[in-house]
Amino acid sequence: MPFDDASFDTVVCTFGLCAIPDIGSALDEIARVRRPSGRLILVDHVASSSRVARDVERAARGGHRTDRRGALLASSAH
């Protein structure tokens, strides 16, 4: 992306990771342009087939899992 490092307080990715062939590079770019204390808003319609993207999605949900449609599964671990 044509932006300086740490340019944004918030980075938004909507319905994109499922369509990006090189998710690792995309996540590296997000991390590069987002300020260290910034937020990532990640919205997708399905659970990703990429383990890396699923790990990011799970971390963003506080460790909660989803089913293959992306629906949040209830967790008793609060």
Side-chain angles (χ1 to χ4, degrees), residues 2-43:
F3 303 107
D4 292 334
D5 293 355
S7 295
F8 298 98
D9 292 322
T10 302
V11 175
V12 178
C13 181
T14 57
F15 308 108
L17 289 182
C18 61
I20 297 172
D22 187 354
I23 293 172
S25 291
L27 294 173
D28 287 344
E29 278 297 284
I30 287 170
R32 182 185 69 76
V33 300
R34 186 177 57 97
R35 291 190 174 122
S37 61
R39 296 185 318 159
L40 168 61
I41 299 173
L42 178 62
V43 179

Side-chain angles (χ1 to χ4, degrees), residues 18-71:
C18 61
I20 297 172
D22 187 354
I23 293 172
S25 291
L27 294 173
D28 287 344
E29 278 297 284
I30 287 170
R32 182 185 69 76
V33 300
R34 186 177 57 97
R35 291 190 174 122
S37 61
R39 296 185 318 159
L40 168 61
I41 299 173
L42 178 62
V43 179
D44 221 318
H45 52 84
V46 296
S48 176
S49 60
S50 164
R51 185 189 57 75
V52 173
R54 282 194 314 272
D55 290 346
V56 170
E57 291 166 352
R58 183 173 294 148
R61 290 188 305 272
H64 298 288
R65 295 184 315 128
T66 61
D67 66 14
R68 295 304 294 164
R69 294 172 311 218

Side-chain angles (χ1 to χ4, degrees), residues 63-65 73-78:
H64 298 288
R65 295 184 315 128
L73 297 176
S75 172
S76 61
H78 288 109

